[in-house]
Amino acid sequence: MREVAVVGIGLTEFGEKWDSSFRELCVEAGAKAIEDAGMDGDQIQEMFVGNMSGGRFVLQEHIGALIADYSGLATNHIPSTRTEAACASGGLAFRQAVNTIASGSQDIVIAAGVEKMTDVSGGETTDALAGAADREWEGMYGVTFPGLYAMIAVDYMHKYGLTREQLAQVAVKNHYNGARNPIAQYRKEITVDAVMKSTLVADPLRLLDCSPVTDGAAAVILCSMEKAKEFTDCPIKVLASTQATDTISLHDRRDISTLDATIAAADRAFKMAKLEREDIDLVEVHDCFTIAELCAIEDMGFCKKGEAGKFTEEGETALGGKLPVNTSGGLKACGHPVGATGIKQVCEVVAQLRGEAGKRQIDGAEIGMTHNVGGTGATVVTNIFRRA
Ligand code: COA
């Protein structure tokens, strides 16, 4: 297999983007990535677009062709494919792009992700997102995504004695980081007290425990390591890109507060990259709800089961901590346009490894990791990157 590098990144602002259409968001992110790579769009040989639910949110399907067309690449007749795995749709697009280059099939590929979620009512959004779980065994009985993660939180708190304050600390830390990210949906700091007093959504999760509903897009340009040198002095090498699955229903899992697909994907990634947990300088994890960040850092092996609350409370996941987690602000503060999130995470790690993360820069960051989840853990994609 050939070595693969990321040479360009592009992001739109995340938030309620009333003035941009679905396709405009994706094309804007792609154009920024192409500009960042210093290449011509015509050099792109293949495209993957992560999108969860264009059909529900903007009544648009056939996303691969749509984005190729509005990027001006359809007349080059490049292959363009939509990838879908709920909130891990972007992660899937990235992994497909990596494999396409690693196999020698193409030299230069763009992986993008896009979602426009705010054009429909809150109820419709919640119902569309429920499609990421098992419709017959979960959705039909009225359970929502905040409801599913609330069950995980209750189980976790019962088993490990996690306090409400420790859970709130995840949101406080991610809002602190988001306040330092110019594209974040919520660029404001919050307190533990504010989280604890915010509106109850699904007990014990409150408004400020939840990722928001977001419009946005992200894109990255990947190429073979040999080609990368034509575009940049600082290619970011992809050391591993792995994917794992688990049961789609939460109630079928052996343990509802452990994501076995995260364990499998992370173990494979560390094996593929030939690295240890201690080698990682920063990680972007899938904090769709505060409890999800704690499960992620434990299941990836960064701390023992039940200890992530204390680890977070002691500041070890903050910008100056042992393992900075979600320097972008995470899904919580940066926002969660579901199909775009997996690619946004890659953009953040690449920016950090290049030393371009501004006020949230981790000094000397050399190796970073991403973790993107579909549903309550039925699909997980992890990636490890190194500054080449
Ligand atoms: N974090 C911080 N602030 C938020 C927020 C969030 N997650 N969601 C909304 N807000 C703010 C809004 O900006 C607004 O502030 P304003 O009054 O100052 O303008 C206020 O809270 C009310 O916003 P509104 O849009 O009416 O909230 P809502 O009640 O319709 O939705 C949630 C709130 C939590 C239900 C919604 O964000 C949600 O469903 N999140 C989960 C999304 C999800 O499940 N994603 C998939 C995960 S796998």
Side-chain angles (χ1 to χ4, degrees):
M1 296 290 256
R2 299 194 301 172
E3 291 187 332
V4 180
V6 177
V7 296
I9 55 175
L11 288 153
T12 65
E13 254 188 33
F14 281 13
E16 285 197 34
K17 307 297 289 176
W18 293 102
D19 49 353
S20 300
S21 71
F22 174 86
R23 64 189 72 181
E24 284 167 349
L25 286 170
C26 200
V27 172
E28 180 189 331
K32 284 180 174 165
I34 289 166
E35 194 185 341
D36 182 54
M39 65 174 55
D40 192 294
D42 285 333
Q43 292 176 269
I44 290 172
Q45 298 166 328
E46 186 152 355
M47 176 183 287
F48 293 95
V49 186
N51 173 252
M52 174 181 167
S53 205
R56 295 289 305 270
F57 292 130
V58 292
L59 306 181
Q60 178 70 59
E61 308 287 7
H62 210 168
I63 309 293
L66 176 87
I67 301 304
D69 185 8
Y70 277 80
S71 307
L73 296 176
T75 47
N76 293 358
H77 311 301
I78 64 163
S80 180
T81 308
R82 170 190 182 172
T83 58
E84 191 276 312
C87 305
S89 299
L92 230 59
F94 183 79
R95 186 160 177 274
Q96 294 307 312
V98 170
N99 286 345
T100 300
I101 295 167
S103 68
S105 170
Q106 306 284 15
D107 285 324
I108 304 178
V109 176
I110 187 164
V114 57
E115 209 77 53
K116 190 157 198 334
M117 302 169 73
T118 68
D119 286 0
V120 294
S121 70
E124 285 171 275
T125 304
T126 301
D127 189 58
L129 291 171
D134 186 327
R135 180 64 75 176
E136 284 187 22
W137 290 104
E138 294 175 317
M140 292 294 268
Y141 295 96
V143 68
T144 61
F145 256 83
L148 287 164
Y149 274 91
M151 288 185 223
I152 295 175
V154 168
D155 181 63
Y156 186 104
M157 289 169 114
H158 174 69
K159 278 189 191 136
Y160 306 111
L162 175 79
T163 67
R164 215 5 297 206
E165 286 81 0
Q166 287 172 330
L167 195 54
Q169 193 57 46
V170 175
V172 172
K173 184 262 300 170
N174 288 348
H175 270 259
Y176 180 90
N177 296 350
R180 283 148 186 80
N181 184 351
I183 67 117
Q185 181 165 1
Y186 292 113
R187 286 169 236 166
K188 61 168 189 220
E189 293 180 31
I190 56 170
T191 60
V192 166
D193 194 47
V195 181
M196 313 268 287
K197 287 186 179 147
S198 62
T199 308
L200 191 61
V201 174
D203 196 19
L205 301 178
R206 295 179 173 271
L207 181 83
L208 291 174
D209 287 296
C210 304
S211 58
V213 169
T214 311
D215 303 329
V220 294
I221 312 276
L222 300 96
C223 63
S224 59
M225 198 46 124
E226 309 91 79
K227 265 253 179 278
K229 288 161 199 149
E230 290 176 25
F231 303 112
T232 176
D233 294 335
C234 187
I236 303 300
K237 193 169 157 184
V238 184
L239 297 180
S241 186
T242 63
Q243 183 180 341
T245 49
D246 200 348
T247 65
I248 192 145
S249 301
L250 192 57
H251 58 258
D252 283 332
R253 307 266 168 86
R254 82 179 161 86
D255 172 4
I256 68 165
S257 50
T258 299
L259 274 68
D260 282 343
T262 293
I263 296 176
D267 282 350
R268 286 172 200 159
F270 280 103
K271 202 167 161 203
M272 191 182 279
K274 299 189 180 70
L275 290 175
E276 302 300 327
R277 269 62 177 179
E278 303 72 57
D279 296 321
I280 302 295
D281 295 318
L282 75 142
V283 60
E284 286 285 301
V285 306
H286 198 93
D287 59 320
C288 49
F289 299 93
T290 44
I291 187 64
E293 176 167 315
L294 300 181
C295 292
I297 57 182
E298 291 170 356
D299 299 339
M300 292 171 88
F302 293 115
C303 56
K304 287 203 191 107
K305 203 72 205 166
E307 290 184 0
K310 193 160 167 278
F311 194 61
T312 303
E313 194 175 41
E314 289 170 352
E316 299 295 16
T317 58
L319 288 184
K322 209 184 274 175
L323 178 74
V325 177
N326 285 329
T327 58
S328 68
L331 284 56
K332 172 69 219 62
C334 190
H336 184 27
V338 286
T341 285
I343 303 286
K344 181 225 78 181
Q345 294 175 323
V346 175
C347 291
E348 175 67 12
V349 168
V350 168
Q352 287 282 357
L353 301 186
R354 286 175 173 178
E356 293 173 355
K359 290 181 181 157
R360 55 190 201 287
Q361 180 64 45
I362 305 303
D363 284 344
E366 215 172 292
I367 302 177
M369 187 161 185
T370 61
H371 163 261
N372 187 200
V373 176
T376 51
T379 299
V380 173
V381 179
T382 58
N383 300 295
I384 301 181
F385 303 87
R386 170 179 249 148
R387 179 152 36 91

